[in-house]
Amino acid sequence: MELLELLARQKHCNYISDLRFLPKTSLYFPQLRDVALAAFSEREWVEAAWYVRGKITHSAAQARACLIA
């Protein structure tokens, strides 16, 4: 499973693209605190932060922090 798929499931979205239509207050994923950075590639983390939050990050750790907070 890809990271974006996981995020969509956590928000009960039928499609990954539905993540873009969630209210801004729903774009936080505190459950990611329990997900190891190594579970997904650095590229997946960075792309997820860009896709979901529109934030440019330079590492998996930055991206996860962006998605959590």
Side-chain angles (χ1 to χ4, degrees):
M1 175 185 316
E2 294 181 11
L3 178 55
L4 285 172
E5 288 177 290
L6 174 67
L7 300 180
R9 280 187 180 181
Q10 287 180 357
K11 296 298 179 177
H12 308 289
C13 296
N14 291 324
Y15 304 100
I16 291 170
S17 60
D18 291 345
L19 288 167
R20 290 195 169 267
F21 302 108
L22 291 172
K24 289 188 185 226
T25 57
S26 295
L27 295 178
Y28 299 98
F29 301 86
Q31 308 91 327
L32 291 177
R33 285 187 182 99
D34 300 329
V35 176
L37 290 174
F40 300 100
S41 70
E42 187 155 342
R43 181 178 176 175
E44 278 189 88
W45 284 106
V46 170
E47 287 179 353
W50 172 252
Y51 187 81
V52 174
R53 302 284 313 278
K55 303 287 184 178
I56 296 173
T57 57
H58 301 288
S59 69
Q62 283 181 344
R64 183 173 70 174
C66 172
L67 290 166
I68 289 171

